[in-house]
Amino acid sequence: MTSSMRIWRRMMMPDLVRVHRYQSLPEQGPKVLFFSGGSALNKISRVFKEYTHHSVHLVTPFDSGGSSARLRAEFDIPAVGDLRSRLMALADETVMGQPEVYDLFTHRLPQQAEAIALREQLQLLVLGEHPLIECIPNPMKALIQTHLAVTQDCIHADFDLRGASIGNLIMAGGYLNNHHQLDPIVFLFSRLVKALGEVKTTLDASLHLGVELDNGDIVLGQHRITGKETNELPSPIKRMWLNKGLRNIAPTNCHIADDRKDAIEAADLICYPPGSFYSSLLANLLPEGVGRSICQNPNPKVYLPNLGTDPEQQGLSLMERVKRLVSTVMADTEMEAPYSALDYLLLDDSYNYGELDSELLGGLNVVVIRTPLITEKKHKYDERLVAKALLSFV
């Protein structure tokens, strides 16, 4: 028979003794889980691995822009770009790691080269004769060649290789070569680069994002939502859903796998980090089972909001974002959830985030924690200060 209890302690912010302990023994560090998407968290992740090798990163597979978009259109696969970049952020960069594999995975083919020259470079990689792959020892080299060969064989003759990420091409081949399953290939490449943390997609499914705007417009596709590859949206976002394909409005959803559920429920800390508010953060909370798993976890949940301007946040104050974050989590739960969706709002002690509504925060039982999180560069978090602050909660 087992039982559980909650133990309260006085919290220091930052708790330098606790942080030093984790830095001394990162292999015994806490399980800090991040819901994130693109590159916004990569620099923090690169610092975070110095303190714990047990962070968990649930990454959105719904991106539809950049070089990932070409692979998605070609093979109808989940987006792999953010997976690859987070794996690289967590890769062991010491002499114990695999720097040759890291260099290969982070390399991009030239943006300006002719199509025939790009095909020749890909062929050299497949043959194992490119300088980036020649230095990789077997059996890793042979495995990478196999997956690249699958991609090479499957892409159409007019596939645009300009600026293509080699890591993305390898992962796409692995996906196609493993019965269209992404999890096995992510696990394999995590081992190849000796990732000091765990990276997974929230869903192993090829879905897209759809939003309805306040003006009634419907927009399909992450790349049309962010305001980075296209013009900013003409109206604030009213609601978002997971969509099957990019041509028609086809709302859908899937339940998260048991290992995702277990990871969320067992995390020592859950962090809602900076990043595109809808397409990176809230998108991760949409799959069935995410909200329920969050509210089954008694440990701290912390929201670290964006600095500066995020086009997706137009019309949303910080308090509105807090409400939408909580409501998105709670939409997946029963009426009575065992634990909260959010416990702490972590803010820099000098940055102006806008007016805080103490009545709203009190009603949600959200505590505001202010501590130095920004150093010299305004509108940019200091990665080490953020890591120390988050680790002080656990």
Side-chain angles (χ1 to χ4, degrees), residues 64-358:
S64 54
S67 63
S68 287
R70 285 173 250 161
L71 288 170
R72 297 201 71 184
E74 188 80 359
F75 301 130
D76 189 26
I77 68 174
V80 296
D82 289 339
L83 273 171
R84 174 197 50 79
S85 65
R86 188 58 51 80
L87 282 171
M88 295 306 102
L90 292 172
D92 186 348
E93 298 175 64
T94 70
V95 292
M96 300 299 292
Q98 298 289 344
E100 302 90 355
V101 178
Y102 178 90
D103 291 342
L104 178 65
F105 267 68
T106 54
H107 183 74
R108 287 184 179 272
L109 294 176
Q111 186 69 47
Q112 306 301 329
E114 297 291 333
I116 188 169
L118 294 172
R119 290 279 176 170
E120 288 172 354
Q121 285 203 38
L122 180 57
Q123 176 67 8
L124 288 174
L125 287 163
V126 170
L127 294 175
E129 298 172 1
H130 192 287
L132 282 170
I133 200 170
E134 281 181 322
C135 55
I136 297 175
N138 279 317
M140 282 186 289
K141 178 181 176 181
L143 184 65
I144 291 169
Q145 288 176 258
T146 297
H147 294 322
L148 275 174
V150 171
T151 302
Q152 183 188 48
D153 290 343
C154 292
I155 57 176
H156 289 99
D158 59 350
F159 184 85
D160 187 358
L161 286 168
R162 289 175 299 175
S165 161
I166 299 302
N168 288 2
L169 296 176
I170 296 168
M171 295 187 76
Y175 174 85
L176 297 171
N177 204 34
N178 280 272
H179 311 289
H180 290 225
Q181 293 183 20
L182 196 55
D183 284 351
I185 204 66
V186 173
F187 175 77
L188 173 63
F189 290 134
S190 295
R191 299 294 295 271
L192 285 180
V193 300
K194 297 188 183 299
L196 303 175
E198 188 175 4
V199 185
K200 295 178 180 289
T201 53
T202 319
L203 285 178
D204 190 351
S206 182
L207 301 178
H208 290 274
L209 298 178
V211 297
E212 179 186 3
L213 308 184
D214 280 349
N215 66 3
D217 288 353
I218 301 295
V219 180
L220 301 180
Q222 171 267 345
H223 66 290
R224 299 189 183 103
I225 296 170
T226 61
K228 297 173 183 176
E229 296 187 32
T230 59
N231 293 331
E232 290 187 19
L233 296 175
S235 177
I237 295 173
K238 180 179 180 181
R239 65 186 181 95
M240 179 172 65
W241 63 90
L242 297 180
N243 201 73
K244 189 171 182 179
L246 290 171
R247 296 186 177 182
N248 302 302
I249 302 171
T252 187
N253 210 329
C254 300
H255 202 284
I256 57 172
D258 286 345
D259 62 333
R260 273 73 159 180
K261 173 180 176 291
D262 294 342
I264 297 170
E265 293 182 3
D268 297 312
L269 172 73
I270 291 175
C271 179
Y272 307 109
S276 298
F277 184 67
Y278 278 95
S279 62
S280 289
L281 178 53
L282 295 194
N284 252 323
L285 308 178
L286 292 178
E288 295 176 5
V290 171
R292 270 168 277 174
S293 298
I294 291 171
C295 293
Q296 289 290 333
N297 187 321
N299 295 320
K301 294 104 180 179
V302 181
Y303 176 33
L304 178 64
N306 286 325
L307 301 174
T309 302
D310 171 14
E312 295 181 12
Q313 292 177 183
Q314 63 168 301
L316 291 180
S317 66
L318 176 57
M319 293 297 93
E320 285 295 326
R321 279 177 272 151
V322 168
K323 286 196 292 185
R324 294 207 181 188
L325 171 59
V326 172
S327 64
T328 302
V329 174
M330 299 304 293
D332 186 52
T333 66
E334 308 299 333
M335 290 299 293
E336 292 293 330
Y339 300 106
S340 63
L342 177 64
D343 301 306
Y344 298 98
L345 183 59
L346 180 61
L347 306 177
D348 179 76
D349 60 354
S350 60
Y351 185 82
N352 181 12
Y353 292 87
E355 186 176 352
L356 301 184
D357 186 336
S358 55

